[in-house]
Amino acid sequence: MQTTLLEAIVKRRGALALASAVTLSLALAGCGSSNGGSAAKADDKGIITVNTVEPQNALIPTSTNETGGGRVLDALFSGLVYYEPKTGEAKNELAESVESSDQVVWTVKLKKDAKFSDGSPIKADNYIKAWNYGANPKNAQLASSFFEVIKGFTAGPTKAGAQAPDVPELSGLKKIDDYTFQITLNQPTSDFALRLGYSAYAPLPDVAFKDMKAFGDNPTVTSGPYTLKDKGWKHKESIELVKNENYSGPRQAKNGGLTFKIYLKSDAAYADVQSGQLDVLDDLPAAAFSTFKSDFPESNANQPVAIFQSFTIPDRIKHFGMDEEGRLRRQAIAYAIDRETICKTIFQDTRVPAKDFTSPSMPNYEKVMKQTKGGEVLKFDKAKAKELWAKADAISKYDDTFTIGYNSDSSHKDWVDAVANQLKNNLGIKAEGEAFPDFKGLRDAITKQTIKGAFRSGWQADYPGMSNFLEPLYSKNGNSNDGKYNNEQFNKLMIDIAKLPVGDEQDMKFAEAQSILFTDLPAIPLWNSNVVGVWNKDNVSNVAFNWKSEPVYYEITKNAK
């Protein structure tokens, strides 16, 4: 494995000035796709039309932990750092510097020329107030656990419907002057600076705190390369963004704005990009996997990215608790799935069978995998699956229907049906998909814990680090721990990992943590995704996809007519 700049910086435990922090271990040579006709004259006022699904919640950085709203927030808001599209390297965006001599106390100096879209300066208070708001469970923030490492954090209730406690502000945040603030953590955290490009750490303007609900529905004062057109969120139809003329950072928009068209069916989006009604699409219907290259011979992409797909089985589901019966059933299901066949027949080799709970694009991936135990459960073995299921039935007979919830406004039906059929054929049980009309409906059922069975899950990396695939999804207080998994040994390992510098000891802890997950299987790993995208080359040029699968929206240019 190559040694990243972040590794060298952390090992010497010196000052951290984020010009470049980490490079994905997967060689992404050529990951930027064909330029789609970059010789065409560009219309810098042109609006780029792209796809999304209806966000689950308001457009507040700490209210989102799903990709429908996340991609919009990334365009609207800036972080202290951003991630270079091709490699995932962390570079300064709103920060002049982020420094620490002990990985506990961090000093942030802001760029003094940075402004919100209304022209007001971005100051230390905009971060301190935003982070205190986001960390407070009274505000029902989905991303609050990203502040857990900061001194003074108080966790919210773990049971659905429980009332959140009154909490003090984060004592670890201290204003030094208008453009400098200090962050004190609960413990040394080697990758803290790397995390700061995630949208949860974005600053908020003063106007947001006058009425946060109204702001989330209409965030027209933003810090990123775009801002929302006034009343530009037309629910279940579109989200219209315009270029932020006051943005002075490195992600300068080369177009006049973005219109996120909200689709209920990916085949409708595919038809629109073919006809020119949509410029760029990164969610193809399964039926198009065998034809997209011929349909778009000069304007397609198929490249590995930091995405992990699974389905989660909450331990509150009868017969699937974290006991002997439940573990036997989870292992049986893992063995019963022929991932390779699904990847070939449904996804046409645009997916790779998962070997663990993270992504091959993470630093030191191979070293961690060599030390991880239990991964054999991801190898298809019908006989082993039936044997384990029979052992579980000897404890308590299973007569229910195993369901996998998914949203039908995206391309998930085919693989869910395929997995359900394999479970029926290989385990001799009743299994089927449970379709929700849209992503928001599925997410609401998951977060309210009203869903009755398993549900599709997975992760698109927030920042390029292995911890990001593990801590949010499986730690007790993880903001995306939708299955409410709680293993004390795993929780402790995540705390220990955060204290360690990049290197052999940290890799060993990652392996230990994944070995625990392979024993408990709170989620069933399926595959790692490629981003598969197409675009209408008559409409747009300079189309590329970033390290975590999304179009690099600010680089896309509209062809002048």
Side-chain angles (χ1 to χ4, degrees):
M1 283 299 178
Q2 69 180 34
T3 300
T4 67
L5 177 58
L6 178 63
E7 182 176 343
I9 290 170
V10 170
K11 281 183 175 178
R12 72 174 182 260
R13 305 182 74 81
L16 177 62
L18 274 170
S20 172
V22 70
T23 303
L24 300 183
S25 62
L26 180 67
L28 292 181
C31 78
S33 51
S34 165
N35 63 17
S38 59
K41 185 178 180 181
D43 174 10
D44 61 3
K45 302 296 183 184
I47 303 299
I48 310 298
T49 56
V50 295
N51 64 291
T52 193
V53 294
E54 177 75 6
Q56 181 187 11
N57 295 304
L59 295 174
I60 299 168
T62 48
S63 290
T64 294
N65 64 353
E66 42 80 19
T67 57
R71 62 180 57 202
V72 179
L73 286 170
D74 285 345
L76 292 174
F77 294 95
S78 289
L80 293 167
V81 305
Y82 77 106
Y83 305 115
E84 201 282 330
K86 289 185 180 181
T87 65
E89 293 179 42
K91 298 182 178 181
N92 288 335
E93 186 167 18
L94 297 180
E96 186 68 40
S97 64
V98 182
E99 299 179 347
S100 179
S101 60
D102 60 4
Q103 315 305 310
V104 175
V105 179
W106 297 79
T107 300
V108 176
K109 292 185 181 297
L110 301 175
K111 293 178 178 177
K112 294 183 179 180
D113 62 345
K115 296 178 180 179
F116 287 107
S117 56
D118 65 351
S120 59
I122 299 175
K123 296 183 177 182
D125 281 337
N126 297 112
Y127 284 92
I128 292 171
K129 290 173 68 176
W131 293 11
N132 276 318
Y133 178 85
N136 192 334
K138 290 287 274 188
N139 300 322
Q141 300 301 286
L142 291 173
S144 63
S145 70
F146 277 89
F147 303 98
E148 186 173 10
V149 72
I150 300 175
K151 188 175 181 180
F153 178 84
T154 302
T158 57
K159 293 184 178 180
Q163 186 171 359
D166 288 312
V167 299
E169 293 185 343
L170 295 168
S171 58
L173 297 180
K174 179 182 178 182
K175 177 180 175 181
I176 305 301
D177 58 44
D178 280 348
Y179 295 96
T180 310
F181 66 103
Q182 193 176 78
I183 310 161
T184 301
L185 308 182
N186 294 314
Q187 62 183 41
T189 304
S190 59
D191 70 348
F192 181 70
L194 180 61
R195 304 180 186 190
L196 296 176
Y198 180 51
S199 58
Y201 297 108
L204 287 174
D206 293 341
V207 66
F209 300 97
K210 295 178 180 179
D211 187 338
M212 193 63 73
K213 183 180 184 304
F215 178 81
D217 289 336
N218 193 39
T220 56
V221 181
T222 59
S223 57
Y226 299 93
T227 192
L228 188 76
K229 183 178 179 181
D230 188 32
K231 298 181 180 178
W233 186 0
K234 301 171 184 176
H235 290 276
K236 298 187 178 182
E237 294 182 14
S238 65
I239 301 174
E240 298 177 69
L241 312 187
V242 295
K243 182 177 180 179
N244 176 5
E245 299 294 347
N246 282 311
Y247 176 76
S248 59
R251 295 189 294 146
Q252 286 291 330
K254 296 180 181 178
N255 49 64
L258 307 171
T259 293
F260 288 90
K261 298 180 73 172
I262 296 170
Y263 286 93
L264 292 177
K265 298 290 182 182
S266 55
D267 53 355
Y270 194 76
D272 275 1
V273 76
Q274 287 181 302
S275 66
Q277 300 303 304
L278 181 71
D279 293 332
V280 183
L281 175 66
D282 67 335
D283 179 26
L284 272 60
F289 286 135
S290 61
T291 64
F292 75 94
K293 289 184 179 179
S294 58
D295 291 341
F296 298 88
E298 300 176 17
S299 54
N300 72 80
N302 179 15
Q303 67 194 48
V305 289
I307 295 181
F308 162 81
Q309 181 72 57
S310 62
F311 61 86
T312 294
I313 310 174
D315 64 11
R316 58 184 168 79
I317 304 299
K318 186 179 179 181
H319 298 288
F320 288 94
M322 287 300 165
D323 53 15
E324 183 181 2
E325 180 196 356
R327 289 187 177 93
L328 287 168
R329 295 201 188 281
R330 291 166 188 267
Q331 291 170 22
I333 285 173
Y335 275 117
I337 300 169
D338 186 350
R339 295 161 181 78
E340 186 171 346
T341 294
I342 292 175
C343 287
K344 285 184 177 296
T345 59
I346 292 180
F347 294 118
Q348 301 290 309
D349 292 322
T350 62
R351 306 288 188 273
V352 178
K355 295 181 180 179
D356 72 326
F357 290 81
T358 70
S359 164
S361 62
M362 291 299 100
N364 294 345
Y365 176 83
E366 293 296 338
K367 286 177 64 179
V368 173
M369 284 302 300
K370 287 179 181 178
Q371 302 175 74
T372 300
K373 298 177 181 179
E376 64 274 5
V377 298
L378 302 187
K379 296 179 180 179
F380 174 53
D381 189 332
K382 180 177 179 179
K384 185 71 172 177
K386 290 182 72 69
E387 174 191 342
L388 293 170
W389 195 264
K391 287 182 178 180
D393 270 351
I395 298 172
S396 177
K397 183 68 174 176
Y398 184 86
D399 291 318
D400 298 337
T401 298
F402 187 84
T403 59
I404 304 174
Y406 69 96
N407 51 302
S408 59
D409 60 348
S410 195
S411 53
H412 296 289
K413 182 181 188 303
D414 288 354
W415 75 256
V416 170
D417 287 346
V419 168
N421 284 330
Q422 288 185 352
L423 296 181
K424 283 192 290 186
N425 295 333
N426 297 331
L427 294 177
I429 64 172
K430 293 178 286 186
E432 61 188 25
E434 181 185 7
F436 287 75
D438 55 32
F439 189 53
K440 175 177 169 52
L442 173 66
R443 289 300 310 165
D444 285 347
I446 291 169
T447 55
K448 293 175 183 177
Q449 299 182 54
T450 57
I451 196 164
K452 302 298 184 183
F455 50 86
R456 83 163 188 88
S457 53
W459 196 247
Q460 177 193 66
D462 300 314
Y463 59 88
M466 192 168 280
S467 287
N468 185 238
F469 279 89
L470 302 178
E471 191 278 331
L473 277 74
Y474 310 114
S475 287
K476 177 181 178 181
N477 295 320
N479 65 289
S480 295
N481 184 359
D482 292 327
K484 304 306 177 186
Y485 175 65
N486 183 15
N487 181 295
E488 291 185 8
Q489 186 180 359
F490 180 88
N491 296 336
K492 183 179 184 302
L493 280 168
M494 287 294 99
I495 294 171
D496 292 343
I497 284 168
K499 297 177 182 178
L500 295 170
V502 174
D504 291 343
E505 188 177 359
Q506 189 186 67
D507 291 342
M508 184 181 70
K509 296 290 187 183
F510 277 129
E512 288 181 33
Q514 291 225 63
S515 298
I516 292 171
L517 295 180
F518 274 125
T519 298
D520 290 346
L521 289 172
I524 307 299
L526 294 172
W527 38 77
N528 295 103
S529 299
N530 285 7
V531 60
V532 182
V534 296
W535 58 96
N536 190 297
K537 66 182 180 65
D538 294 332
N539 290 356
V540 292
S541 300
N542 300 307
V543 179
F545 296 82
N546 65 20
W547 63 278
K548 66 175 185 176
S549 85
E550 295 172 354
V552 187
Y553 297 116
Y554 57 90
E555 293 281 359
I556 302 172
T557 56
K558 195 81 171 184
N559 297 338
K561 300 297 185 181

